[in-house]
């Protein structure tokens, strides 16, 4: 078996919703300025007893319940994140314990920024094949509200908190991936565990609109498909303008692109999973649909996968 299939998803967002108008009370900005430039209207921030681990646990629990499989059969747990509650132990190890998963398991976190969910899918596939594990659990979870300088309007309006999870199964279905890195430490970074997000907005935009269309073309060609074969595009929700520019470059209608950035903002490694879960839950993505997921992020990372649902 060389492919994986997503059999169920789950998601969890904090209860607190932060609107553009709320941010306008903190920094010099406005609802019009943010929405026109990013497509964002609101995002979620943790408060009270909510934290990163809780978000990841709730999303993972929901995905497992929806999958309807014995949790003891999960052989790999990956949490994709740059904002875990602990430097050590990993969030994945905590999830294993809280959900009562098997002890005979690989559990670890991986950090690939906003490309995390795509890197996670490729990594969990390899680990499942190596261990002959039938099922795996991947979680993308971020609490970026703890990583923002709330006096910096160039970043504090962009990011939100949330988690999404998927139970995956080894399968002989269609699965194709393209992964890449062009190592960079300045475009987007968090320079210490207690540091804030720094992002070169213009540099990130240029990188995304130049790189993602090429990556999409590569993965579609590698899969032996055409754009018409792809039912849905689920891209990292960084900026609506970026998604619209990519749609134009690959000459595909926007109604094939899943967009929920207006509700969540940029949730980094949780972004693709949150969009995927929403589109499955509302019936847009159905069984046997071909879905192309693609993301880009810190370190100048990028990745895309084509999967049959």
């Amino acid at each position: 078996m060389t492919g994986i299939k997503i059999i169920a998803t789950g998601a969890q967002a904090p209860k607190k919703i932060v609107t553009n108008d709320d941010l306008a009370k903190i920094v010099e900005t406005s609802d019009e300025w943010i929405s026109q430039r990013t497509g964002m209207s609101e995002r979620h921030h943790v408060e009270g007893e909510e934290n990163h681990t809780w978000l990841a646990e709730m999303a993972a629990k929901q995905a497992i319940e929806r999958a309807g499989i014995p949790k003891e059969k999960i052989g790999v747990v990956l949490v994709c994140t740059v904002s875990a509650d602990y430097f050590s132990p990993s969030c994945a190890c905590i999830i294993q314990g809280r959900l009562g998963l098997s002890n005979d398991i690989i559990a670890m976190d991986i950090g690939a920024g906003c490309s995390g969910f795509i890197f996670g899918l490729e990594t969990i596939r390899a680990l499942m094949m190596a261990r002959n594990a039938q099922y795996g659990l991947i979680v993308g979870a971020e609490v970026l509200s703890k990583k923002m300088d709330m006096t910096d309007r160039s970043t504090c309006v962009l990011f939100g908190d949330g988690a999404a999870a998927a139970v995956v199964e080894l399968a002989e279905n269609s699965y194709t991936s393209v992964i890449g890195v062009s190592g960079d430490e300045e475009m987007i970074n968090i320079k210490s565990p207690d540091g804030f997000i720094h992002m070169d907005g213009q540099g990130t935009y240029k990188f995304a609109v130049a790189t993602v269309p090429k990556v999409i073309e590569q993965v579609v060609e590698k899969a032996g498909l055409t754009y018409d074969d792809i039912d849905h595009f689920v891209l990292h929700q960084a900026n609506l303008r970026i998604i619209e520019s990519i749609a134009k470059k690959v000459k595909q209608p926007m109604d094939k692109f899943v967009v929920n950035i207006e509700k969540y903002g940029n949730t980094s490694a949780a972004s693709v999973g949150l969009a995927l879960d929403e589109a499955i839950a509302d019936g847009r993505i159905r069984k046997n649909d071909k879905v192309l997921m693609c993301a880009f992020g810190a370190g100048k990372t990028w990745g895309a996968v084509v999967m049959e649902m």
Side-chain angles (χ1 to χ4, degrees):
M1 296 183 180
T2 59
I4 53 174
K5 185 179 183 71
I6 292 176
I7 62 172
T9 59
Q12 182 68 54
K15 295 176 184 177
K16 181 181 178 181
I17 295 174
V18 179
T19 67
N20 292 346
D21 287 332
D22 291 332
L23 292 171
K25 298 174 184 177
I26 302 172
V27 293
E28 186 180 349
T29 189
S30 68
D31 174 62
E32 181 181 16
W33 191 92
I34 298 170
S35 60
Q36 286 185 354
R37 286 164 176 77
T38 69
M40 301 173 189
S41 297
E42 56 190 39
R43 68 286 297 148
H44 297 252
H45 287 179
V46 296
E47 65 176 355
E49 295 183 355
E50 295 175 337
N51 59 22
H52 179 281
T53 308
W54 177 79
L55 290 173
E57 179 188 358
M58 292 299 101
K61 185 178 180 180
Q62 184 179 64
I64 294 172
E65 289 175 349
R66 288 175 173 175
I69 62 167
K71 60 184 179 182
E72 295 79 14
K73 290 190 176 183
I74 294 174
V76 181
V77 177
L78 289 185
V79 176
C80 313
T81 187
V82 296
S83 57
D85 291 326
Y86 295 94
F87 186 75
S88 181
S90 70
C91 181
C93 284
I94 298 172
I95 294 301
Q96 180 276 334
R98 289 193 180 184
L99 297 184
L101 304 182
S102 169
N103 297 122
D104 182 22
I105 199 171
I106 291 177
M108 63 182 187
D109 294 354
I110 61 172
C114 301
S115 300
F117 200 81
I118 306 300
F119 272 55
L121 286 171
E122 184 70 355
T123 303
I124 203 167
R125 181 182 74 93
L127 290 172
M128 289 170 68
M129 290 174 62
R131 292 179 57 80
N132 196 30
Q134 184 178 2
Y135 298 105
L137 173 67
I138 178 172
V139 183
E142 301 287 12
V143 173
L144 298 175
S145 62
K146 304 294 186 182
K147 301 293 182 182
M148 292 189 298
D149 177 357
M150 294 305 293
T151 67
D152 177 10
R153 71 169 186 170
S154 68
T155 56
C156 74
V157 303
L158 300 177
F159 296 96
D161 305 339
V167 174
V168 298
E169 180 182 16
L170 279 182
E172 289 287 4
N173 69 322
S174 59
Y175 173 92
T176 307
S177 64
V178 171
I179 299 287
V181 178
S182 179
D184 173 276
E185 57 194 277
E186 295 301 327
M187 188 178 77
I188 309 171
N189 63 54
I190 303 172
K191 291 192 173 182
S192 71
D194 297 321
F196 294 132
I197 297 171
H198 162 78
M199 185 173 72
D200 172 2
Q202 286 297 316
T204 301
Y205 183 92
K206 291 177 181 178
F207 167 68
V209 299
T211 303
V212 173
K214 294 177 183 178
V215 175
I216 290 175
E217 181 179 358
Q218 288 171 1
V219 76
V220 170
E221 183 177 333
K222 187 176 179 181
L225 303 172
T226 68
Y227 289 128
D228 290 339
D229 296 318
I230 305 299
D231 297 298
H232 306 279
F233 294 84
V234 184
L235 272 53
H236 167 48
Q237 308 288 301
N239 184 302
L240 180 58
R241 286 183 173 182
I242 290 176
I243 297 173
E244 290 173 339
S245 177
I246 291 166
K248 287 181 181 179
K249 287 197 172 188
V250 299
K251 299 179 180 178
Q252 293 295 291
M254 274 298 294
D255 61 11
K256 291 179 70 171
F257 288 77
V258 177
V259 177
N260 66 354
I261 192 171
E262 73 281 359
K263 294 187 288 187
Y264 296 102
N266 183 341
T267 54
S268 188
S271 168
V272 170
L274 281 170
L276 181 69
D277 176 76
E278 182 174 300
I280 291 173
D282 66 22
R284 275 177 289 173
I285 294 179
R286 296 169 292 183
K287 186 176 176 61
N288 299 322
D289 280 356
K290 285 186 172 60
V291 176
L292 189 154
M293 292 175 271
C294 186
F296 59 92
K300 285 191 176 178
T301 57
W302 63 83
V305 298
V306 173
M307 301 179 67
E308 184 175 299
M309 302 303 290

